[in-house]
Amino acid sequence: MTDFMEQAQETFVNESLDLLQDMESSLNQLVDDPANDELINSVFRAAHTIKGSAGLFGQDAIVAFTHKVENVLDRVRDGEVAITAPLVEVLLECRDHIEVLIEALGEEPDPTLHQQGEALLAALMQQAGGDGAATAVESTTQLAQTDDSVVVSREEGPQVENDNWHISLRFHADVLRNGMDPLAFLRYLATLGEIVNVATLVDQMPNVEEMDPESCYLGMEVSFRSEADKQTIMDVFEFVMEDSSVVVLPPRSKLSEYTDLIETLSESEDERRLGELLVSVGALSTHELEKALSRQQLDQLQHPEQHPRLGEILVEQHAVDSNTVTAALKKQQAQHERKMKESRSIRVDAERLDQLINLVGELVIAGAGTGLKAQQLGDEDLLESVSLISRLVEEIRDRSLRLRMVQIGETFNRFNRVVRDVSKELGKSIKLVIEGADTELDKSVVEKIGDPLTHLVRNSIDHGIESAEERLAKGKPEQGTVTLNAYHDSGNIVIEVSDDGGGIDPDKVLAKARANGLVAPEQHLSRAEVLRLILEAGLSTKEAVSNLSGRGVGMDVVKRNVESLRGQIEVDSELGAGTSIRVRLPLTLSIIDGFLVGVGDASYVIPLDSVEECIEYEQLEKVRDHGGDYISLRGEVLPFLDLRTLFGERKDRDNRENIVVVRSGGAKAGLVVDELLGEYQTVIKPLSQIFSKLSGISGSTILGSGEVAMILEVNSLVSEAEQRTLHLS
Amino acid sequence: MSGKTILVVDDSASIRQVIGMTLKGAGYDVIEACDGKDALSKLNGDKLNLIITDVNMPNMDGITFIKEAKKLPRYKFTPIMVLTTESQDTKKKEGQAAGAKAWVVKPFQPPQLLAAVSKLVLP
């Protein structure tokens, strides 16, 4: 395979996977909206395109399988086969199979795959009621093209002297209008051999006043020397064969053939005889005869008028009422407006985008450096131009980050399948409601959020939604509802998985947590704190352990995953009414708005969205007891951490200390710092693997001055502060 | 531009890629469009020597595109070649009725495509 075919095959794989994604979401929507032509069309088109491209790469297994699926879809489109839930089911499985086939590209062919495919097709045919042999056109290639053997009769009659082929051409009047240039065919013919002689016949040319410059009146007699066989020469004229007359006579044909030819052509009437004659001498293929016959019928139709072609052409040209076309077009445009937007997009390698965003990050840092220098110099003009540049840089930063934003809808749609499959497995009837599908977030976040979300959705179905009997007994609708929602909230994106199931019983959770030693017997927890316990390892309240959600190891893994995205989880539940779990994520993983603080000699960055307020340390009533630190903030107990002690920074300056109040989940804590340096655009540089055990720090950034500042991880700092307060009580 | 220019219309990026590379390799200039609507927007008055179009496409199918293109005086005589699949003989007929007199049957190998193209346009 050539290089570019390999490249193209890569494109094929990506494009097919995208199409399969579309196909799946359309199929899922079809269940609720079986009459939607748009959806059926998009499913058909996906299969059609995949088949077409797969053929190009010689992927016969994919072509064969997809072809059968396409046939069924075609019949669905024509209204012959009705959309039913079981049909959609099988089509989804077929879709999966195509995906498997595509993913198996380049691997050794696996015979079991073929068997699976056959089994699926059988199931599909059963749902679609037979394979509709009439529409499944298996007719292989052009039947019209017959054997290319050159039969040259040498038995009787004088033969022509020369060794040249003779080609007799009578172009149809419309040939120019069809975009065909008779000269182009001659030029292509010349690539197969040598054109010895061309005679142009102008007999058909009318008087100047009657002549239509757009029509072709010419005929040609060509003497051609070539080693090519008859079929190859015939194929040169493949595209004009339908309505023009093309006769190819092999070298050393009988003279009589030429005589006949000349006779018939000069009168251009008795082509039937010519056809039969040439077939009988074996120089004519059935294809040629067919053409001759249809041409003759056409002639008969046209006979009554003397110059019928021009008139007919005019009628043909005006045959279509242009108003009708425009109206139809408008309707189509409106329907596809939304789809349009998608296909206008450019596919860019994710890595290139990452590179761009990295560079933008560097630009932000360098810009901050320049700003700092300008400030030190105090040059007015310089400061002004720096501020202009930094505005532009900010805009570039925002726009390039937006490049990586994708709608979450596609991720959400995948859950249709999960919900259907899992609820079927459990024998529950569950509906998935999707809201906020057009909410955008960073692609790198989308990729990583899939697994935790799947876990949450499965949890809802498995543990959340009660069995049908239980629901009916409680006076709830038999069908349970799981809702996926996404929305923006103060610089974060919130993804919410909620169900109308049984809810979480806080007493049970607390009892279990006490039994497992997670909570000390005398410890008192608020309701929110109790609910958050379900995120801890080794806690599951559902007595029956199902194969779906595991043994309570799930939620802590979800929590870890979300925290690795710098996100937080909030749990909200009402016993008997349902549970709602909110995952709060930053919009992007690479650049954040930070709050820069100074501690000792070093600087630290606190993510701005977790900063609540800043207060002066001295002003507050400080209580120190048992080594624990907490203050009373407007009567509320606020634990705090002294960052200087925590990170072992030296205190050699006598700054006025401040407390930054930060929030994580439902909890607050204070961080004691030396200096407040203000807001700072922070480009996150991940920490190397060896620092992964470090608690309290999530990454680093480079300041304008070139110094490195650590980015604080508020979650763990807050819980650290809480822990200390707990010990104290 | 000294070469001959061909507009390739197909919703499948991989097919566009294969056709594009094949034609470029043979010395043609290639313009790509992803559907009929996109293709119409690329008929901007510049000379085209050939249009190759798929039939089944979103937004605007190949047949509608051919009919629309044929209405434009500048492209009235531009040869149009349709990419057809064997199973869609009716589509081929429809394409011919709309004004596409040449065709390439999918799946094709690059040499087949080149042969078909050079019958209409030599590079």
Side-chain angles (χ1 to χ4, degrees):
Chain A
M1 201 182 287
T2 54
D3 243 11
F4 81 74
M5 284 300 267
E6 264 169 39
Q7 280 173 23
Q9 181 159 328
E10 218 167 276
T11 312
F12 161 69
V13 171
N14 287 332
E15 147 189 288
S16 301
L17 294 180
D18 280 0
L19 284 166
L20 287 172
Q21 192 66 53
D22 288 354
M23 191 168 172
E24 176 167 347
S25 85
S26 296
L27 278 172
N28 279 321
Q29 290 173 56
L30 266 178
V31 179
D32 299 324
D33 191 3
N36 191 330
D37 289 345
E38 194 60 16
L39 292 172
I40 297 169
N41 244 329
S42 105
V43 175
F44 172 82
R45 203 157 42 224
H48 178 73
T49 306
I50 290 171
K51 189 192 79 174
S53 316
L56 203 56
F57 301 102
Q59 301 301 335
D60 297 336
I62 300 177
V63 175
F65 183 82
T66 316
H67 178 67
K68 295 266 172 54
V69 177
E70 186 196 343
N71 280 337
V72 170
L73 290 170
D74 198 23
R75 289 167 59 212
V76 170
R77 216 164 51 143
D78 293 345
E80 285 175 42
V81 176
I83 288 279
T84 58
L87 178 65
V88 170
E89 201 74 35
V90 182
L91 283 171
L92 275 170
E93 282 170 36
C94 289
R95 184 217 84 98
D96 292 351
H97 188 68
I98 297 173
E99 187 168 342
V100 172
L101 287 174
I102 287 171
E103 276 166 356
L105 277 190
E107 290 169 19
E108 283 294 302
D110 181 355
T112 56
L113 273 185
H114 181 71
Q115 286 161 14
Q116 282 167 15
E118 290 300 312
L120 274 175
L121 286 176
L124 181 64
M125 292 317 161
Q126 203 187 350
Q127 287 305 330
D131 66 354
T135 37
V137 184
E138 297 289 343
S139 75
T140 36
T141 32
Q142 301 94 320
L143 287 170
Q145 294 187 0
T146 44
D147 191 27
D148 61 352
S149 59
V150 180
V151 184
V152 184
S153 167
R154 295 167 192 275
E155 287 153 32
E156 296 163 44
Q159 288 173 356
V160 289
E161 289 290 304
N162 65 42
D163 284 336
N164 297 339
W165 294 80
H166 183 83
I167 303 165
S168 178
L169 301 168
R170 296 294 176 276
F171 291 108
H172 189 265
D174 274 346
V175 74
L176 296 173
R177 259 182 292 265
N178 292 335
M180 312 288 179
D181 182 356
L183 258 183
F185 293 104
L186 285 188
R187 279 199 294 263
Y188 184 74
L189 186 68
T191 63
L192 298 177
E194 185 198 346
I195 296 175
V196 183
N197 209 346
V198 182
T200 309
L201 280 102
V202 290
D203 304 10
Q204 300 288 324
M205 186 72 100
N207 294 328
V208 178
E209 56 268 26
E210 289 169 28
M211 194 192 83
D212 174 4
E214 292 185 0
S215 292
C216 179
Y217 299 99
L218 299 182
M220 280 165 197
E221 299 292 329
V222 183
S223 185
F224 184 54
R225 183 179 297 144
S226 171
E227 297 298 317
D229 60 30
K230 180 167 180 182
Q231 192 62 54
T232 312
I233 296 175
M234 290 291 280
D235 277 350
V236 173
F237 304 99
E238 188 185 5
F239 299 139
V240 285
M241 208 87 90
E242 297 244 326
D243 35 34
S244 300
S245 129
V246 178
V247 180
V248 176
L249 294 179
R252 299 196 174 274
S253 293
K254 282 185 296 181
L255 188 58
S256 58
E257 286 174 332
Y258 287 89
T259 330
D260 289 343
L261 189 66
I262 291 159
E263 264 175 27
T264 39
L265 286 180
S266 59
E267 281 162 20
S268 87
E269 257 175 26
D270 209 354
E271 275 165 345
R272 190 185 187 84
R273 256 191 54 218
L274 173 71
E276 281 170 351
L277 194 72
L278 292 184
V279 167
S280 68
V281 296
L284 188 71
S285 64
T286 35
H287 179 58
E288 287 168 314
L289 181 61
E290 243 176 50
K291 295 298 133 196
L293 286 174
S294 59
R295 170 64 194 269
Q296 198 195 29
Q297 279 164 357
L298 197 72
D299 278 353
Q300 280 167 353
L301 282 175
Q302 287 178 341
H303 205 66
E305 275 181 77
Q306 208 54 34
H307 294 286
R309 281 173 191 158
L310 184 60
E312 262 198 329
I313 288 150
L314 287 176
V315 172
E316 216 177 272
Q317 279 183 340
H318 295 289
V320 191
D321 182 354
S322 62
N323 282 338
T324 336
V325 175
T326 337
L329 199 66
K330 273 209 182 118
K331 196 178 154 206
Q332 206 180 23
Q333 273 171 357
Q335 273 178 356
H336 291 292
E337 201 80 341
R338 198 182 58 81
K339 271 252 147 187
M340 256 277 294
K341 273 193 203 147
E342 290 168 12
S343 59
R344 290 279 158 173
S345 57
I346 301 172
R347 181 180 290 274
V348 180
D349 199 345
E351 205 174 306
R352 284 197 209 171
L353 269 188
D354 290 348
Q355 284 166 358
L356 173 72
I357 286 167
N358 270 343
L359 274 178
V360 171
E362 299 292 336
L363 187 63
V364 170
I365 293 170
T370 315
L372 204 66
K373 291 260 156 56
Q375 236 153 26
Q376 285 163 358
L377 289 172
D379 185 317
E380 288 277 317
D381 292 344
L382 185 60
L383 276 172
E384 197 156 315
S385 71
V386 163
S387 89
L388 175 68
I389 289 174
S390 67
R391 248 207 333 273
L392 289 172
V393 167
E394 228 168 273
E395 193 155 321
I396 290 174
R397 176 200 70 164
D398 289 347
R399 295 207 179 209
S400 46
L401 282 179
R402 218 175 299 157
L403 290 179
R404 237 176 19 184
M405 295 292 199
V406 291
Q407 296 193 346
I408 199 165
E410 218 173 282
T411 313
F412 276 4
N413 281 332
R414 256 176 247 167
F415 288 100
N416 275 313
R417 188 75 180 277
V418 175
V419 170
R420 262 228 331 274
D421 290 355
V422 175
S423 54
K424 211 167 83 183
E425 205 171 310
L426 293 172
K428 293 179 181 175
S429 162
I430 294 170
K431 180 173 73 180
L432 179 71
V433 177
I434 290 175
E435 283 163 21
D438 53 0
T439 310
E440 292 188 330
L441 75 162
D442 198 292
K443 188 163 168 50
S444 52
V445 180
V446 168
E447 280 163 1
K448 290 179 187 140
I449 200 65
D451 285 350
L453 271 189
T454 310
H455 211 98
L456 290 177
V457 170
R458 291 193 153 196
N459 256 338
S460 280
I461 301 171
D462 194 16
H463 301 318
I465 308 271
E466 316 91 325
S467 65
E469 305 85 61
E470 222 173 301
R471 289 183 66 88
L472 288 172
K474 284 184 186 168
K476 289 183 182 180
E478 188 183 343
Q479 190 179 43
T481 306
V482 173
T483 310
L484 279 174
N485 191 7
Y487 52 90
H488 287 282
D489 179 41
S490 60
N492 286 313
I493 180 169
V494 179
I495 302 171
E496 195 175 64
V497 181
S498 43
D499 61 67
D500 64 348
I504 300 168
D505 186 343
D507 296 340
K508 265 195 191 171
V509 174
L510 192 57
K512 180 99 181 194
R514 289 218 161 105
N516 287 3
L518 280 169
V519 178
E522 69 279 10
Q523 199 174 334
H524 286 283
L525 296 176
S526 71
R527 185 187 151 79
E529 282 167 325
V530 172
L531 289 178
R532 282 183 62 81
L533 283 175
I534 64 160
L535 303 175
E536 300 303 324
L539 199 112
S540 176
T541 53
K542 183 90 177 179
E543 301 308 327
V545 171
S546 84
N547 62 334
L548 286 170
S549 316
R551 298 167 175 269
V553 290
M555 289 305 276
D556 63 309
V557 175
V558 171
K559 184 184 167 202
R560 260 210 313 279
N561 281 343
V562 169
E563 279 174 358
S564 75
L565 295 170
R566 292 190 295 108
Q568 296 163 16
I569 300 186
E570 291 162 26
V571 186
D572 201 356
S573 178
E574 197 171 321
L575 191 58
T579 306
S580 154
I581 294 178
R582 278 184 294 276
V583 176
R584 190 177 282 271
L585 293 167
L587 278 181
T588 167
L589 295 180
S590 44
I591 301 179
I592 56 166
D593 281 321
F595 187 70
L596 193 64
V597 296
V599 179
D601 289 335
S603 303
Y604 290 86
V605 175
I606 306 170
L608 191 63
D609 44 331
S610 55
V611 175
E612 287 266 285
E613 60 181 312
C614 301
I615 37 184
E616 264 182 67
Y617 192 48
E618 273 93 338
Q619 288 176 356
L620 292 155
E621 185 190 339
K622 183 175 137 197
V623 186
R624 228 174 241 275
D625 198 1
H626 300 90
D629 299 277
Y630 58 94
I631 52 168
S632 161
L633 173 65
R634 291 182 287 271
E636 205 183 315
V637 176
L638 182 79
F640 67 81
L641 286 175
D642 192 337
L643 290 187
R644 203 164 39 209
T645 10
L646 188 68
F647 295 122
E649 298 283 358
R650 283 182 300 145
K651 182 192 166 86
D652 48 14
R653 282 181 296 169
D654 197 23
N655 269 315
R656 195 179 50 170
E657 288 183 326
N658 286 280
I659 289 187
V660 181
V661 181
V662 292
R663 175 177 43 89
S664 160
K668 277 187 197 172
L671 302 174
V672 180
V673 302
D674 288 340
E675 226 180 329
L676 302 176
L677 299 168
E679 283 184 35
Y680 178 74
Q681 289 209 0
T682 312
V683 180
I684 300 175
K685 301 277 175 194
L687 287 176
S688 142
Q689 201 60 38
I690 48 168
F691 299 116
S692 62
K693 291 265 189 289
L694 264 184
S695 136
I697 287 174
S698 64
S700 64
T701 187
I702 299 167
L703 301 176
S705 59
E707 281 174 68
V708 173
M710 291 297 164
I711 301 170
L712 299 180
E713 195 204 354
V714 173
N715 280 324
S716 58
L717 289 176
V718 170
S719 50
E720 168 82 23
E722 272 185 321
Q723 287 292 315
R724 293 188 181 196
T725 328
L726 286 179
H727 284 304
L728 149 158
S729 61
Chain B
M1 282 201 302
S2 57
K4 301 287 170 69
T5 309
I6 299 178
L7 173 64
V8 177
V9 192
D10 198 309
D11 56 330
S12 156
S14 55
I15 290 197
R16 284 203 305 274
Q17 200 171 344
V18 170
I19 297 179
M21 301 294 263
T22 306
L23 294 178
K24 280 177 197 160
Y28 296 100
D29 289 326
V30 178
I31 300 173
E32 292 181 16
C34 62
D35 57 52
K37 208 164 156 49
D38 190 20
L40 269 188
S41 76
K42 302 214 160 134
L43 298 181
N44 55 3
D46 288 343
K47 167 93 179 156
L48 281 181
N49 297 84
L50 176 67
I51 296 170
I52 301 178
T53 178
D54 188 20
V55 177
N56 200 318
M57 290 181 291
N59 299 328
M60 183 192 283
D61 63 42
I63 304 297
T64 315
F65 164 64
I66 294 167
K67 285 179 183 160
E68 288 297 308
K70 284 280 164 193
K71 281 187 202 161
L72 301 171
R74 181 75 176 91
Y75 300 99
K76 199 170 160 186
F77 294 132
T78 306
I80 299 179
M81 185 182 272
V82 283
L83 293 166
T84 66
T85 45
E86 288 160 38
S87 60
Q88 289 201 315
D89 209 39
T90 47
K91 284 283 174 196
K92 184 169 137 187
K93 292 264 154 58
E94 226 182 298
Q96 285 177 345
K101 297 293 173 174
W103 60 89
V104 170
V105 178
K106 279 199 277 192
F108 52 81
Q109 290 301 310
Q112 291 170 301
L113 172 75
L114 268 190
V117 167
S118 44
K119 280 169 200 171
L120 300 168
V121 199
L122 283 182

